[in-house]
Amino acid sequence: MATNDTAWTLESVQQLTAMAREGIPVSVMSLKLRRPIEIVAAKLSQLGLTPAPETGA
């Protein structure tokens, strides 16, 4: 995986899109993609995708 937070590969964008469609919260996407929450949220916004709401315990 790229260490540069701004470098999104096609594979990582596809994974992000799939998780968004499955209703996975940004915090979980962030962990799976090993990227900061802010970067993941910004990419979702750029793609026009709305993340699922965070669920708290």
Side-chain angles (χ1 to χ4, degrees):
M1 171 130 323
T3 56
N4 184 349
D5 288 335
T6 60
W8 284 88
T9 63
L10 178 60
E11 182 182 340
S12 60
V13 170
Q14 289 174 335
Q15 189 178 4
L16 177 67
T17 303
M19 287 190 284
R21 289 186 178 140
E22 291 172 21
I24 296 172
V26 175
S27 59
V28 177
M29 292 182 200
S30 171
L31 291 172
K32 289 187 177 192
L33 294 170
R34 295 186 179 134
R35 294 175 184 262
I37 290 174
E38 297 81 15
I39 300 295
V40 173
K43 190 63 175 179
L44 286 169
S45 178
Q46 181 184 15
L47 294 171
L49 299 171
T50 304
E54 296 291 327
T55 55

